[in-house]
Amino acid sequence: MSIEDGQRAIEDGVRTDFRSRMDYGGYLDLDKLLDAQHPVSEPVHPDELLFIIQHQTTELWFKLVLHELTSVRTYLQHDEVSRARKALARVKHIFRTLAEQWSVLATLTPSEYAEFRSFLGSASGFQSHQYRSVEFILGNKNAGMLPVFAAKPEHQESLRQLLESPTVYDAFLRFLVAHGHQVPQQILDRDLTQAWVEQPELIPVFERIYADPDAHWAEYAMCEDLVDLEDAFQFWRFRHLRTVQRTIGYKKGTGGSSGVDFLKRALDLTFFPELYSVRTEIG
């Protein structure tokens, strides 16, 4: 294809009339999406758009993460381990993308943020129901979070359902049972509304898997996929903490939390503790 007058000619087969056809913007509902950024600072601060888009795109990714993790749980319940692993790989890459995305927000200096932070009122990422949903389905359940969403009954109800439902890890343990591994019954019958805490009785189960990967390849690969996921999630948490620290120091969060100290404590939470503890026993 030749380029004349500095322009690339449009190919004959390219459609240009969309009066009766769905176009790109219509499929993606771009008019609504691109009209969803409403700065509240007065006068409007030029960096508030960055702040809004950063968090909106994160919420879009969370929507996909929750979709994929729900699918992982279903796949494991139906013994479709290959599909479960594919979905976990996708989630892992999403969190890597989200971790790198903090570098964009980190271009917002403390002085710039201070000029419009007060306009946020009590709005805070702490109130993200999608983030809480992701944590719940991965095992970090906390019934005390439900009142935060009392003003949005549909969000509260979706969280309640996740609170009372098996986690991805619960589904994985039942997958192990289906493949001949002796997971203690009291663990399988646990109170699903409680946050997962380390179960030392599971360590021998994972020791057996890691001792002979060839004999237990699907289980072994799933264990490593879950560790990959947790590493990616924790790295995202760490980048969040560091971005907050460099932007507001040790100020309280807009939602009333202690800020950096609150985020630091989140780093101590783990979704799959036995998969890390078993490494001490290997070899």
Side-chain angles (χ1 to χ4, degrees):
M1 180 186 302
S2 61
I3 297 179
E4 300 176 1
D5 300 326
Q7 295 183 345
R8 181 178 61 173
I10 298 176
E11 295 175 347
D12 292 340
V14 174
R15 291 191 174 97
T16 58
D17 185 352
F18 295 97
R19 287 171 292 185
S20 60
R21 293 189 179 100
M22 180 171 63
D23 65 359
Y24 177 78
Y27 174 68
L28 296 177
D29 208 0
L30 285 181
D31 287 345
K32 183 184 297 183
L33 187 65
L34 297 178
D35 192 40
Q37 296 75 45
H38 306 291
V40 296
S41 55
E42 296 179 3
V44 173
H45 194 284
D47 292 319
E48 192 180 355
L49 185 62
L50 160 65
F51 192 81
I52 292 172
I53 289 177
Q54 169 87 20
H55 290 83
Q56 286 183 338
T57 54
T58 296
E59 290 294 333
L60 285 172
W61 283 122
F62 280 164
K63 183 174 183 177
L64 182 56
V65 165
L66 188 58
H67 169 78
E68 297 295 342
L69 290 177
T70 302
S71 296
V72 169
R73 187 176 60 183
T74 301
Y75 292 145
L76 289 173
Q77 290 167 344
H78 291 85
D79 203 29
E80 297 181 90
V81 68
S82 295
R83 289 181 177 272
R85 294 194 62 207
K86 173 65 181 295
L88 281 174
R90 182 171 292 162
V91 173
K92 174 181 65 178
H93 287 297
I94 291 170
F95 272 106
R96 287 179 176 172
T97 296
L98 285 170
E100 183 57 34
Q101 187 171 294
W102 287 118
S103 64
V104 182
L105 191 61
T107 64
L108 181 67
T109 68
S111 300
E112 291 164 343
Y113 184 41
E115 291 171 351
F116 68 86
R117 185 175 188 247
S118 63
F119 289 94
L120 303 182
S122 58
S124 166
F126 180 85
Q127 301 141 18
S128 167
H129 78 279
Q130 289 199 126
Y131 172 72
R132 295 300 162 193
S133 295
V134 171
E135 286 214 322
F136 276 25
I137 200 171
L138 287 177
N140 184 22
K141 297 186 178 185
N142 183 351
M145 287 300 306
L146 294 181
V148 176
F149 303 97
K152 294 288 182 69
E154 67 278 16
H155 295 166
Q156 188 180 61
E157 180 56 29
S158 66
L159 271 178
R160 189 187 307 280
Q161 290 177 15
L162 285 171
L163 180 73
E164 299 171 353
S165 301
T167 67
V168 167
Y169 204 34
D170 290 318
F172 178 51
L173 295 180
R174 291 193 176 276
F175 169 83
L176 293 181
V177 170
H179 285 260
H181 299 279
Q182 302 301 311
V183 176
Q185 191 63 41
Q186 71 270 20
I187 295 177
L188 297 174
D189 294 337
R190 77 183 188 90
D191 182 352
L192 295 176
T193 66
Q194 297 300 304
W196 182 270
V197 293
E198 185 164 0
Q199 305 291 327
E201 299 86 353
L202 273 180
I203 302 299
V205 177
F206 291 121
E207 273 191 87
R208 177 170 176 259
I209 292 170
Y210 276 90
D212 193 352
D214 290 337
H216 313 292
W217 180 257
E219 302 96 300
Y220 170 78
M222 271 294 303
C223 287
E224 288 299 285
D225 288 338
L226 291 173
V227 170
D228 283 346
L229 170 59
E230 174 138 348
D231 280 356
F233 192 102
Q234 290 285 37
F235 187 59
W236 174 79
R237 275 177 170 162
F238 178 74
R239 289 295 301 273
H240 182 193
L241 182 157
R242 297 296 294 181
T243 303
V244 169
Q245 189 174 30
R246 70 178 286 164
T247 307
I248 66 169
Y250 292 91
K251 292 185 181 74
K252 284 189 174 183
T254 49
S257 75
S258 57
V260 167
D261 286 341
F262 179 79
L263 296 175
K264 280 182 179 178
R265 290 196 295 275
L267 292 175
D268 292 330
L269 299 173
T270 179
F271 300 120
F272 320 119
E274 298 81 10
L275 294 181
Y276 289 86
S277 295
V278 72
R279 281 153 164 73
T280 307
E281 310 301 327
I282 296 171

